[in-house]
Amino acid sequence: MPRIGMQPIRRKALIEATIDEIGARGSLDVTVARIARRAGVSSALAHHYFGNKEQIFLAAMRQTLSEYGAEVRAGLKAARTPRERVEAIVRAGFSEGHFRSAVLAAWLNFYVLARTSRQAERLLVVYHRRIVANLAQALRPLAGTAASDIAETLAAVIDGVYLREGLGQGTPDGAAAARRVLAVLDAELTARGGPGTQDKDRTET
Amino acid sequence: MPRIGMQPIRRKALIEATIDEIGARGSLDVTVARIARRAGVSSALAHHYFGNKEQIFLAAMRQTLSEYGAEVRAGLKAARTPRERVEAIVRAGFSEGHFRSAVLAAWLNFYVLARTSRQAERLLVVYHRRIVANLAQALRPLAGTAASDIAETLAAVIDGVYLREGLGQGTPDGAAAARRVLAVLDAELTARGGPGTQDKDRTET
Amino acid sequence: MPRIGMQPIRRKALIEATIDEIGARGSLDVTVARIARRAGVSSALAHHYFGNKEQIFLAAMRQTLSEYGAEVRAGLKAARTPRERVEAIVRAGFSEGHFRSAVLAAWLNFYVLARTSRQAERLLVVYHRRIVANLAQALRPLAGTAASDIAETLAAVIDGVYLREGLGQGTPDGAAAARRVLAVLDAELTARGGPGTQDKDRTET
Amino acid sequence: MPRIGMQPIRRKALIEATIDEIGARGSLDVTVARIARRAGVSSALAHHYFGNKEQIFLAAMRQTLSEYGAEVRAGLKAARTPRERVEAIVRAGFSEGHFRSAVLAAWLNFYVLARTSRQAERLLVVYHRRIVANLAQALRPLAGTAASDIAETLAAVIDGVYLREGLGQGTPDGAAAARRVLAVLDAELTARGGPGTQDKDRTET
DNA sequence: AATGAATGAGGATTCATTCAT
DNA sequence: GATGAATGAATCCTCATTCAT
């Protein structure tokens, strides 16, 4: 059975299995054996490829983060106006691909992991910075010097909505979630720049 | 050594030890033995009083939630105007007592626990509803029919800020966190009702 | 079943089981589970009392060493002349209690353990020093300033004979082994002090 | 990359790697994978060439023994007098090549291996017999009928000194070790044959 | 009331070994 | 000739939980 060049295939399968298993289990309390079984391999192979459990988790985290990043980039590419750029970033977080119970559980658990693992923490911090930077850049034309501050707030709202919506058992409503975040954006812009600014932005867009 | 009337003392000690241990460990990955040692009792006693580990966690969660609730109520009692009422609720979340790394870790882990334990989920949902209800009630004079919606948003912002601030290693800055949340409040009020409304509210109160 | 005060009993049983198991297996390649089964307890209990496998080994080593030390002391107490004192020390090493295949295997493995474990090495060095010191003290009246040197040699002969005799599968012949060591002693004394000295010693004895 | 005629090269490399690894690790607790890596090949190849782990160990043991034997033979060839012949055999054991920590660890572990593996035991017994035979033959002109007995004793002293010197962490002192063994030889000769014999030998030498 | 004693169950990790290529 | 792929079988260790005292 052993064919050559399996490494990337197995790694990918194990990473997906990890996210799914965390999602299914709802906690980091998943065993390597179950992850491996889900991926259709032995637990020994999982260790062979990743070294230890933490590395498996970190790989899953990197994967989730980079998928999210890709979604953000794809959204940004399609956006034409500053406003659209901000919306793209916000919507990426609540897309069907990511705003699922399993992925949400994974995210939540990565936050927990970050409290224990230095590497996990670093990943999360980097991701945080990147989101804020993306938001700030998109907001600059709309909010000027307030861009950074609004970006920071929006990032927090995204996380908060994500967290709260995810608590429910049912399928989370991504559209509603995104709407709530964008409402905060609108409010901030209106309040800071006055209606004029906002209107101007909208017109521009 | 066994004295009578120890039950409440032991229970309280074990609950505190649980929160501290979750805080210290940074995850739910704490053992009953360690919790018990921290509380100065045997692990057998912990089981004697709580039945099993999940009940210990749930008790710790109830404790954290009710302390938070008490802080909110205390703040509300001292508040005179609607605005002050909202601020009190927001500030309760970022008070020195709760906005600590250990408590934050506990909260985070309660969210995780809620994915596994029906009881934990119920506790969290109840707390969520209560916060939103409190906020909505306080906001009614300020925002009218928009109160509920703004309340929902504010609750999300609180959670998001809490989550993000807590990621850093250093002592979290409660004042800054509260300021950011209140800024959202101001923006929402300004944007929806215009400055006039807000001023009027303040005067009314 | 759990009665109080079992700790020392369990510890002793586990230590004996360890030595026996090393003897039976012929190497350090013994499992905690087998040791525990031999002692009639669960492997979890073995860990509970000793912490980890290395500590179990070290305890077994200490036990073996201290039993040997006790045998030496008992022999010394019964000895009347210097010569008898030396003989007592030598014979202690080849007594029926210690010159058994199992104990021998244990010793051999402790030497191996000493290459990995700092603690084991320390134990072995201390034991080495003590034997040489005992021998040297006993030899002083017989060999004067040469006592230390002869002691060192005798200790080496003891170990060498022990090692070689132990290689065979059959029951090792302790008497023959002791005789060979004492022959070296006689030769050293004769060669250094001349026959006169030796005869005098013998007459004294 | 596979070239023909690699077998002897690979085997030799693996054998050396085995001894080195046992030396480095200080115990038989070495993995085939590490041995193979040290030899620059895959662990599968090690199995391909040796069948299983025990055979790898046995090959390493044979190698060590035969190197030692070669050193003895070389020493014997250069020796002119009986005394020199004995000294050559003794010194071979403490030469720079063999009296190293790594080799010593290997020897020690071969003794352990001999308790488990029939083949290893046979190798060790053969080596033992050969050394004693060599010593006895060399001693015949010096000690006559006592040659065998003295040979047996010397062999034990060699092993004992080897074992004890090897325990220390520092570089073992081969010259001192050899001196101690030869001192026993001198003592035995003096004591048995009287000073005359010994002097005569020494003069001859 | 309180605990020491004890364990079953499980989990991460390791490793010798096999096999298809 | 050589190896990457793969795994079954251990093994150490942890831990929640129970029980007699």
Side-chain angles (χ1 to χ4, degrees), chain B residues 126-201:
Chain B
V126 166
Y127 142 78
H128 271 181
R129 290 220 188 100
R130 200 171 303 165
I131 292 296
V132 173
N134 281 334
L135 282 169
Q137 196 185 341
L139 283 165
R140 199 88 53 197
L142 303 177
T145 53
S148 283
D149 192 44
I150 298 181
E152 200 80 54
T153 292
L154 282 191
V157 185
I158 291 173
D159 282 10
V161 168
Y162 199 84
L163 188 63
R164 292 178 77 90
E165 280 285 322
L167 186 64
Q169 299 300 89
T171 318
D173 183 348
R179 236 177 291 130
R180 182 172 302 282
V181 177
L182 293 174
V184 173
L185 167 64
D186 289 335
E188 290 274 3
L189 291 178
T190 306
R192 298 192 195 227
T197 311
Q198 194 184 352
D199 283 348
K200 217 174 84 192
D201 289 337

Side-chain angles (χ1 to χ4, degrees), chain A residues 1 8-10 34 47 58 63 69 75 81 83 90-91 111 117 120 126 136 142 149 159 162 170 173 178:
Chain A
M1 288 166 225
I9 297 167
R10 296 304 191 201
R34 287 185 69 90
H47 280 97
L58 288 173
Q63 172 75 4
T81 65
R83 168 78 188 190
V90 171
R91 294 228 165 80
Y111 271 88
S117 157
V126 166
L142 304 176
D149 192 46
D159 281 11
Y162 199 85
D173 183 348

